[in-house]
Amino acid sequence: MPVRIGVLSLQGDYLAHAAMLRQLPGIDACLVRDAGELGRAQGLIIPGGESTTIGKLLDRAGLMEPIQQRARGGMPVYGTCAGLILMAQRIEGTEQHRLGLMDMLVARNAFGRQIDSFEAAITVPLLGGEPVRGVFIRAPYVVEAGLGVEVLARYDDRIVAVRQGVFMASAFHPELTNDVRMHRLFADTVRSAPSDGR
Amino acid sequence: MSDYETQKATWATKVGHAEMLKGGVIMDVVTPEHAVIAEEAGAVAVMALERVPSDIRANGGVARMSDPKMIKEIMAAVSIPVMAKARIGHFVEAQILEAIGVDFVDESEVLTPADEQFHIDKHAFKVPFVCGCRDLGEALRRIGEGAAMIRTKGEAGTGNVVEAVRHLRTVMGGIRRLQSLPVEELMTAAKELGAPYDLVVDVHKTGRLPVPNFSAGGVATPADAALMRQLGAEAIFVGSGIFKSSDPAERARAIVAACTYFDKPDKLAEVSAGLGEAMFSLDVRKIDEADRMASRGW
């Protein structure tokens, strides 16, 4: 039986994530827009997009609580960019909707507006070998990581990738590159996670 | 820590920004108050302009880039990306918009063209560009010039989706045709399309445009938005359709939902109910060729 990972598909680059997952052996990707679709997923990716939009749509779709409930039960979740913002318990200067799964404070658009978007080599020691090509688009970063949050990568002394138990988040977009290592790391987490009793 | 230099405003960050807008709705707004309503409704971005296309159409005269003061006020009012329009070929308007710090420049046929021969060299800018098209050749010419996002033109300010459908079907049909051609016919196809050969080969191989493909010009209802999504548009621009309707906030929210659940008729039925009056609309066949915006640009 392949492991099925859902990609939250309310808005954003969810198809890029699904395409990455489908490159991994033994992984099936499914798009998640409602609670029924969530029920079939063993792990969940929150894609890049507009965090305010995705947050509102999560709320309107009635998906906030089901995702939080599954996550509390041990379902792995990985967020990129907007996904990182939605994973955070605290977001600077806004009360916008969030899943709030990770003990961290994040800043939105923290590197500037679109013309300040950039690419840089990011060393993620956990992945070994070559640095990943970090694509940062109107990107956030983690201002404060809580005690239980493991820092996976920094750029210019700023925290740009984190992990807390079965939850992961990155400020950059591996799904826009050809490098599947971040997705493989998440897929391994999903594979080894005990059933969350869904 | 890094083994190559940080590079700003690369092609990947430009196209990547367009990727982030997929599945969303980009709304025309003329005031900061409109921008807040749009953001609250779930817009992924707003297009800041002084007059929506239906008013530009009604008022006549030369339509230009909006006042930077007004664009900045809109940028200050919302946290979502803000786009603004430059006239076709008016690279100085684009320079000004880049200097203000807008997130996307729309080299737009909705404004009066400043150059009837040449479009802007968009590779020369840090800010990404979106351009309109009516067919595959026009799309690939704009991408060749550096557009990081394409939107089919439709006919702006009409509340009539017929041209948007025509243009998107023409682009998608063009892509399917290129896919089916043997390799030795691609150069002639490039000649006929008036498109860069490399991009023609790329479309032949991948079956899609090399940048996101959105739809604009005539969307007035949630059903219109879902129609464009089902025909292959990856996101939707709505111009006059929201703020010229009787209940903009509700309609905006419904069109956002329709973009997400574009293939779920039950959901579309739910969000389409009780929205009040759509915008005043026009029969495109009764608009003189000279008054059509889509035929601006080449």
Side-chain angles (χ1 to χ4, degrees):
Chain A
M1 276 283 283
V3 171
R4 184 174 300 193
I5 298 179
V7 183
L8 185 70
S9 301
L10 299 171
Q11 188 274 317
D13 69 339
Y14 50 85
L15 292 177
H17 275 289
M20 287 301 266
L21 291 172
R22 286 176 184 137
Q23 290 179 40
L24 298 171
I27 299 293
D28 189 12
C30 61
L31 304 183
V32 171
R33 284 181 293 180
D34 59 40
E37 290 164 343
L38 176 67
R40 290 189 284 276
Q42 292 162 259
L44 185 68
I45 288 182
I46 315 293
E50 268 309 304
S51 64
T52 53
T53 303
I54 297 174
K56 289 188 178 83
L57 291 171
L58 273 170
D59 185 54
R60 290 172 199 168
L63 270 172
M64 235 13 136
E65 274 183 31
I67 292 174
Q68 287 164 335
Q69 202 172 358
R70 287 283 310 279
R72 276 197 293 274
M75 177 182 71
V77 185
Y78 173 32
T80 63
C81 193
L84 174 140
I85 296 166
L86 289 158
M87 292 291 277
Q89 283 170 5
R90 299 177 297 283
I91 309 170
E92 271 187 4
T94 163
E95 296 303 311
Q96 69 186 73
H97 296 289
R98 70 202 68 179
L99 291 164
L101 302 178
M102 297 178 74
D103 179 14
M104 57 185 183
L105 169 69
V106 303
R108 289 184 62 199
N109 301 338
F111 295 95
R113 297 191 73 96
Q114 170 60 21
I115 51 174
D116 302 306
S117 294
F118 63 97
E119 290 182 60
I122 302 297
T123 301
V124 185
L126 201 63
L127 300 179
E130 294 287 302
V132 300
R133 177 176 157 228
V135 182
F136 292 82
I137 298 167
R138 286 170 49 94
Y141 63 76
V142 178
V143 180
E144 289 168 15
L147 275 182
V149 176
E150 176 189 2
V151 175
L152 299 184
R154 292 175 195 266
Y155 167 75
D156 208 10
D157 291 333
R158 288 158 175 168
I159 300 168
V160 293
V162 285
R163 183 165 73 168
Q164 183 178 12
V166 293
F167 306 138
M168 283 171 55
S170 63
F172 51 90
H173 295 278
E175 74 277 13
L176 297 182
T177 71
N178 298 318
D179 189 338
V180 297
R181 288 177 295 167
M182 288 294 286
H183 287 79
R184 190 184 294 136
L185 177 65
F186 181 64
D188 289 344
T189 305
V190 178
R191 245 189 224 105
S192 56
S195 163
D196 63 305
R198 73 204 148 91
Chain B
M1 188 181 82
S2 305
D3 65 352
Y4 64 83
E5 290 290 308
T6 296
Q7 291 183 298
K8 278 196 175 185
T10 59
W11 181 244
T13 64
K14 291 177 176 177
V15 178
H17 185 28
E19 290 281 335
M20 296 312 133
L21 303 174
K22 282 185 174 177
V25 182
I26 300 146
M27 302 181 191
D28 278 4
V29 297
V30 299
T31 63
E33 293 71 34
H34 278 184
V36 170
I37 292 170
E39 183 175 50
E40 195 45 48
V44 287
V46 290
M47 177 76 71
L49 70 179
E50 272 165 11
R51 284 176 288 169
V52 295
S54 64
D55 286 338
I56 291 175
R57 194 176 282 289
N59 291 14
V62 173
R64 310 180 182 89
M65 176 189 79
S66 298
D67 184 341
K69 176 170 177 282
M70 167 268 188
I71 297 171
K72 282 183 178 171
E73 285 167 2
I74 286 173
M75 287 167 64
V78 294
S79 69
I80 55 177
V82 176
M83 305 185 177
K85 291 180 191 290
R87 280 178 268 177
I88 290 173
H90 206 315
F91 52 87
V92 173
E93 286 188 346
Q95 288 164 3
I96 291 169
L97 293 174
E98 179 173 271
I100 297 172
V102 302
D103 298 295
F104 244 99
V105 172
D106 184 2
E107 187 183 17
S108 179
E109 70 282 359
V110 167
L111 305 183
T112 311
D115 189 325
E116 296 197 330
Q117 265 189 298
F118 304 109
H119 284 252
I120 297 171
D121 168 22
K122 293 165 274 286
H123 286 299
F125 288 79
K126 287 189 290 180
V127 65
F129 279 73
V130 52
C131 287
C133 75
R134 284 160 299 172
D135 55 40
L136 182 59
E138 196 175 8
L140 296 181
R141 286 192 292 280
R142 297 293 85 78
I143 297 166
E145 292 161 354
M149 180 204 297
I150 286 297
R151 53 170 181 77
T152 45
K153 287 177 178 170
E155 189 59 36
T158 59
N160 187 339
V161 80
V162 65
E163 293 300 302
V165 169
R166 187 193 321 279
H167 297 157
L168 189 57
R169 279 197 184 276
T170 305
V171 170
M172 301 309 272
I175 292 172
R176 286 192 295 273
R177 176 175 172 270
L178 278 192
Q179 269 186 294
S180 70
L181 292 181
V183 174
E184 69 271 20
E185 295 187 12
L186 294 179
M187 182 59 84
T188 300
K191 181 189 167 201
E192 287 164 2
L193 286 168
Y197 177 70
D198 291 352
L199 295 180
V200 167
V201 172
D202 190 78
V203 171
H204 167 74
K205 282 184 186 157
T206 63
R208 46 187 301 222
L209 291 182
V211 304
N213 181 16
F214 294 7
S215 170
V219 169
T221 67
D224 289 347
L227 174 67
M228 300 317 294
R229 291 278 279 131
Q230 287 198 30
L231 285 171
E234 295 171 305
I236 305 292
F237 284 82
V238 185
S240 325
I242 290 170
F243 289 100
K244 288 291 174 186
S245 72
S246 61
D247 188 347
E250 272 307 303
R251 184 164 295 263
R253 194 173 149 133
I255 292 176
V256 168
C259 237
T260 293
Y261 301 100
F262 64 96
D263 55 352
K264 306 219 171 190
D266 290 348
K267 188 81 183 169
L268 294 173
E270 185 189 315
V271 302
S272 298
L275 290 181
E277 285 290 310
M279 67 176 284
F280 169 81
S281 54
L282 293 170
D283 184 341
V284 178
R285 288 170 303 182
K286 290 178 183 155
I287 303 174
D288 280 351
E289 186 56 36
D291 293 330
R292 294 198 189 186
M293 292 170 173
S295 54
R296 298 166 170 177
W298 33 92

PDB file of all heavy atoms in Angstrom, chain B residues 16 25 35 93 99 258:
ATOM      1  N   GLY B  16       7.974  32.058  -9.796  1.00  0.00           N
ATOM      2  CA  GLY B  16       7.539  31.485  -8.529  1.00  0.00           C
ATOM      3  C   GLY B  16       6.457  32.326  -7.878  1.00  0.00           C
ATOM      4  O   GLY B  16       5.511  31.800  -7.298  1.00  0.00           O
ATOM      5  N   VAL B  25      -7.864  34.643  -6.803  1.00  0.00           N
ATOM      6  CA  VAL B  25      -8.534  35.712  -7.540  1.00  0.00           C
ATOM      7  C   VAL B  25      -7.785  37.017  -7.300  1.00  0.00           C
ATOM      8  O   VAL B  25      -7.496  37.379  -6.158  1.00  0.00           O
ATOM      9  CB  VAL B  25     -10.001  35.886  -7.090  1.00  0.00           C
ATOM     10  CG1 VAL B  25     -10.691  36.963  -7.912  1.00  0.00           C
ATOM     11  CG2 VAL B  25     -10.745  34.562  -7.206  1.00  0.00           C
ATOM     12  N   ALA B  35      -9.516  47.835  -1.442  1.00  0.00           N
ATOM     13  CA  ALA B  35      -8.440  46.848  -1.276  1.00  0.00           C
ATOM     14  C   ALA B  35      -8.673  46.013  -0.022  1.00  0.00           C
ATOM     15  O   ALA B  35      -8.469  44.793  -0.030  1.00  0.00           O
ATOM     16  CB  ALA B  35      -7.084  47.550  -1.217  1.00  0.00           C
ATOM     17  N   GLU B  93       6.762  54.215 -17.256  1.00  0.00           N
ATOM     18  CA  GLU B  93       5.721  53.915 -16.258  1.00  0.00           C
ATOM     19  C   GLU B  93       6.103  52.660 -15.472  1.00  0.00           C
ATOM     20  O   GLU B  93       5.936  52.601 -14.245  1.00  0.00           O
ATOM     21  CB  GLU B  93       4.347  53.737 -16.932  1.00  0.00           C
ATOM     22  CG  GLU B  93       3.740  55.054 -17.385  1.00  0.00           C
ATOM     23  CD  GLU B  93       2.296  54.917 -17.886  1.00  0.00           C
ATOM     24  OE1 GLU B  93       1.828  53.779 -18.132  1.00  0.00           O
ATOM     25  OE2 GLU B  93       1.638  55.971 -18.054  1.00  0.00           O
ATOM     26  N   ALA B  99       9.970  51.288  -8.948  1.00  0.00           N
ATOM     27  CA  ALA B  99      10.538  52.142  -7.893  1.00  0.00           C
ATOM     28  C   ALA B  99       9.597  52.240  -6.685  1.00  0.00           C
ATOM     29  O   ALA B  99      10.052  52.304  -5.540  1.00  0.00           O
ATOM     30  CB  ALA B  99      10.826  53.538  -8.451  1.00  0.00           C
ATOM     31  N   ALA B 258     -15.499  30.063  -5.753  1.00  0.00           N
ATOM     32  CA  ALA B 258     -15.697  29.410  -7.051  1.00  0.00           C
ATOM     33  C   ALA B 258     -14.367  29.042  -7.698  1.00  0.00           C
ATOM     34  O   ALA B 258     -14.271  28.069  -8.453  1.00  0.00           O
ATOM     35  CB  ALA B 258     -16.499  30.316  -7.978  1.00  0.00           C
TER      36      ALA B 258
END
